[in-house]
Amino acid sequence: MAKDDVKLIGAWPSPFVNRAQIALNIKSVKYEFLEEKFGSKSELLLKSNPVHKKIPVMIHNDQPICESLVIVEYIDEVWSSGPSILPSDPYDRATGRFWAAYIDDKLFPAIRGIGTADGEEAKKAAIEPVIEGLAYLEEEFIKSSKGKNFFGGDKIGYLDIAFGSFLGWIRVTEKMNSVKLIDESKTPNLFKWAEKFCADNSVKDVIPDTDKLSEFAKVLMAKLRNPQN
Amino acid sequence: MAEEVKLFRTWSSGYALRIVWALKLKGIEYETIFEDLTNKSPSLLQYNPIHGKVPVLVHDGKPVCESLVILEYVDETWKHNPLLPQDPYEKSMARFWANFGDDKLMKSIWQLFIAREKDQDVAAVEALENLKLVEEQLKGKKFFHGETIGYLDLAFGWFADFVSILEEIMSLKLVDGERFPHLSSWIQHFMDAPVIRDCWPPRDKMIIKYQVMREKYLAAATPK
């Protein structure tokens, strides 16, 4: 059987790229990481994802797969002999997919909203939906972990990856806005989970260090405010 | 023990129709609960507390929300007549294009639908670009799934009906047979397919509903 050729087009600060990296690490799949330069898009990216021109793109034996959650499911299905990422029960899979969609459609934009809010009042208003969303996830954690360390139980699963990939940015948002989002007293389970998740072997070299990500965030904000610079 | 399947829907929701078709394709018996979204039932709010939206599938008391999530649940629970391709790459393509349909295509079609006359040309550019991408996906195929209807056909199903409604209300041709031969042909095959065609909401009601909605948007956009 021909050896698998796996490339991942991405960038270290992207939580969406981090999802693919974590999934590949869980399956112990060797891959070539093709880092995109900040502010420009490579020929390969534009050719592999002509529809959205976004990262991550996974190229498996010359076939491109786009969209981070689509990539994670693909990885789980192709490397089926490795530790499974999605649960086996259809209802649990549906629950995981529901919350992953919630995180992408509602929670992450709300977290970004804190960073772009202007002034104290706007910041307070922006924080509310994030706190609400995290409270939902705290509840969901209790239900799906069944007393174990992760949403996936004993080991990291799909929802751990979908949500955990944002922990770097959550921590940066907390630091830069002097706010506690994953609060030990309000969301004690998520607080413990976050530490365990980030310490996991498949994750620890992927989620960027908070200081490094904060520096990048400052550069990003400056660029967003002055796009011509 | 008999399974209990309920579907919360509205008379017009294209998202809910996806599930109606899926359950029909799988031959699953179920109870329909029609919702009035201006006066949501306590059951709907209990089963979908986060979004309060339809469709919601309740299987033996357990709710599943978000139409594309429900489609995969239905396919994984009742494994006969599979809706998704078996091959992981083909499956990932189906999921990618379903997301495109909801995120990009739907938004651009809607923007065209509610655009003021002077903004229509600009809105049409993006809608047509997105339609071209979808047209490409149908080359050499009767349905997105191949010879038979599958997940991606159901995901795009809303579009088959809505296009003709938009065209009638706006008096324009969006999907013309010359520019979009594959898409036009897919629309015809899909609209008329036995499993699909009896489920469409009444067209006259849909025309009125969308006409009223469009007028509201246009009125709101007009400077006073």
Side-chain angles (χ1 to χ4, degrees):
Chain A
M1 192 180 100
K3 197 163 184 270
D4 275 322
D5 176 59
V6 180
K7 296 180 170 63
L8 182 67
I9 309 176
W12 65 267
S14 162
F16 303 103
V17 171
N18 292 163
R19 287 171 170 173
Q21 290 174 286
I22 294 167
L24 288 165
N25 288 348
I26 286 173
K27 301 284 189 177
S28 305
V29 174
K30 296 245 172 307
Y31 64 97
E32 189 186 349
F33 189 67
L34 301 169
E35 181 96 40
E36 285 286 297
K37 248 204 313 245
F38 179 57
S40 71
K41 292 180 200 245
S42 70
E43 285 274 336
L44 184 62
L45 174 62
L46 297 175
K47 188 179 98 170
S48 312
N49 190 358
V51 175
H52 300 298
K53 307 175 178 58
K54 285 185 177 176
I55 51 174
V57 179
M58 179 171 140
I59 307 178
H60 181 209
N61 296 336
D62 295 326
Q63 284 187 317
I65 302 106
C66 309
E67 304 283 282
S68 64
L69 295 176
V70 174
I71 293 172
V72 171
E73 293 224 34
Y74 176 83
I75 290 169
D76 199 33
E77 286 157 16
V78 170
W79 288 279
S80 51
S81 56
S84 55
I85 292 174
L86 269 94
S88 51
D89 175 72
Y91 189 74
D92 294 337
R93 292 159 75 90
T95 305
R97 287 168 178 148
F98 172 87
W99 285 109
Y102 173 82
I103 285 161
D104 280 2
D105 297 341
K106 303 266 161 162
L107 187 64
F108 186 55
I111 292 169
R112 264 210 316 260
I114 298 175
T116 56
D118 225 345
E120 276 314 303
E121 281 310 306
K123 263 209 212 296
K124 252 202 227 152
I127 289 169
E128 268 181 51
V130 175
I131 300 295
E132 187 182 71
L134 291 170
Y136 290 140
L137 285 163
E138 171 80 5
E139 248 186 77
E140 179 54 32
F141 182 85
I142 294 167
K143 273 191 231 155
S144 69
S145 66
K146 299 187 178 66
K148 305 276 169 74
N149 288 337
F150 302 107
F151 285 93
D154 276 320
K155 52 183 174 62
I156 283 174
Y158 177 80
L159 188 50
D160 296 282
I161 297 174
F163 181 24
S165 55
F166 287 113
L167 284 169
W169 282 98
I170 289 175
R171 286 170 173 165
V172 164
T173 306
E174 288 178 332
K175 180 177 168 179
M176 290 173 82
N177 297 278
S178 308
V179 62
K180 267 254 146 258
L181 297 174
I182 298 185
D183 186 322
E184 193 170 6
S185 59
K186 298 202 180 108
T187 52
N189 290 284
L190 290 186
F191 187 85
K192 266 190 259 159
W193 163 80
E195 295 192 340
K196 295 209 166 84
F197 178 82
C198 291
D200 187 272
N201 279 331
S202 300
V203 178
K204 63 183 180 358
D205 298 325
V206 175
I207 303 289
D209 158 78
T210 309
D211 287 335
K212 189 178 177 196
L213 202 54
S214 296
E215 285 310 306
F216 174 79
K218 289 185 192 138
V219 172
L220 182 65
M221 299 288 278
K223 186 130 197 206
L224 290 173
R225 291 198 169 114
N226 292 298
Q228 62 270 34
N229 280 9
Chain B
M1 186 182 107
E3 269 179 323
E4 192 197 53
V5 181
K6 294 186 189 182
L7 179 65
F8 286 78
R9 59 173 292 200
T10 58
W11 69 271
S12 62
S13 162
Y15 296 112
L17 270 180
R18 292 168 169 173
I19 316 308
V20 170
W21 291 319
L23 292 171
K24 205 164 172 188
L25 281 164
K26 300 275 190 179
I28 308 296
E29 303 259 322
Y30 64 99
E31 183 194 341
T32 300
I33 295 115
F34 281 100
E35 285 284 328
D36 169 5
L37 294 179
T38 63
N39 184 20
K40 295 175 187 180
S41 72
S43 293
L44 178 64
L45 296 173
Q46 177 206 331
Y47 287 129
N48 191 356
I50 307 296
H51 303 299
K53 286 182 178 178
V54 295
V56 180
L57 184 80
V58 183
H59 183 201
D60 289 338
K62 297 204 282 194
V64 186
C65 310
E66 297 291 284
S67 62
L68 295 179
V69 175
I70 300 172
L71 279 183
E72 295 222 32
Y73 176 80
V74 168
D75 206 32
E76 288 167 4
T77 302
W78 295 282
K79 296 193 204 300
H80 57 283
N81 299 350
L83 298 172
L84 273 143
Q86 298 300 307
D87 173 70
Y89 181 71
E90 295 303 319
K91 211 186 272 199
S92 72
M93 286 291 101
R95 287 171 174 150
F96 173 87
W97 286 106
N99 290 339
F100 175 83
D102 281 2
D103 296 341
K104 292 266 156 122
L105 182 68
M106 199 181 285
K107 285 205 178 101
S108 60
I109 301 284
W110 187 254
Q111 287 307 311
L112 173 60
F113 185 62
I114 60 170
R116 289 175 288 176
E117 206 168 329
K118 64 186 186 71
D119 299 324
Q120 274 172 23
D121 282 342
V122 173
V125 169
E126 189 172 342
L128 290 168
E129 264 170 24
N130 289 335
L131 287 173
K132 253 193 274 179
L133 291 169
V134 179
E135 169 80 9
E136 282 289 316
Q137 292 307 302
L138 280 166
K139 287 213 166 117
K141 296 198 275 189
K142 183 176 177 186
F143 296 108
F144 289 101
H145 191 60
E147 273 308 299
T148 58
I149 285 172
Y151 168 89
L152 194 52
D153 301 281
L154 301 189
F156 277 111
W158 65 271
F159 175 74
D161 194 35
F162 188 71
V163 158
S164 70
I165 289 168
L166 177 153
E167 289 179 343
E168 183 172 325
I169 293 173
M170 294 181 77
S171 304
L172 59 75
K173 193 84 187 126
L174 184 62
V175 180
D176 77 68
E178 258 190 62
R179 233 184 331 191
F180 301 106
H182 298 95
L183 204 42
S184 304
S185 166
W186 173 81
I187 289 174
Q188 260 180 354
H189 285 129
F190 187 79
M191 294 288 289
D192 288 337
V195 169
I196 305 297
R197 67 166 175 245
D198 297 330
C199 305
W200 294 116
R203 190 182 167 79
D204 49 355
K205 259 182 108 177
M206 288 287 271
I207 297 277
I208 294 171
K209 174 196 162 103
Y210 282 103
Q211 213 153 28
V212 166
M213 221 188 267
R214 184 165 180 256
E215 275 155 26
K216 270 205 191 112
Y217 274 96
L218 289 173
T222 309
K224 306 261 181 305

